[in-house]
Amino acid sequence: MTETFSNHPDPIRAPQFYASVPSKRLYAWVVDSIITIAMTLAIIPFTAFIGLFFFPILALIIGFAYRSLTLASSSATWGMRIMSIELRDARGERFDFSQALVHTLGYSISVMFFLIQIVSMICMAGSARGQGLTDMALGSVMINRR
């Protein structure tokens, strides 16, 4: 793995690590959203259908747990695994539980504020490493799995 000062693959010397990552992130997000909605719908009967009244909040909580746990276990959500991408921290290593929580918190905040999410998506599409705002703040990158 060709590394730069930041312990991440250099997008110029090793472009294969970042090839199609922004579009794969989008597809992974769609898959993860479907999984989160399905999990939320599956839980609603266990709330005596009261969960229907606060569905967005319930979906946010379930999505937060899903994303945190899957990122902590293999540095990728199920959608990311399907798309063969994974997150790496500032040291170039897979996420641990605390990093997964912080990254998920950053992602959740960006989803709650439309403008922040738009800026993050522009950064993902336009930066050499395809990093969103949360990635830039944490020094993490999304790369293709080997």
Side-chain angles (χ1 to χ4, degrees), residues 113-140:
F113 297 99
F114 183 72
L115 185 59
I116 294 173
Q117 183 63 21
I118 295 299
V119 171
S120 190
M121 290 181 345
I122 291 169
C123 290
M124 284 181 218
S127 65
R129 289 187 168 91
Q131 294 171 293
L133 292 176
T134 301
D135 297 319
M136 289 178 184
L138 299 177
S140 59

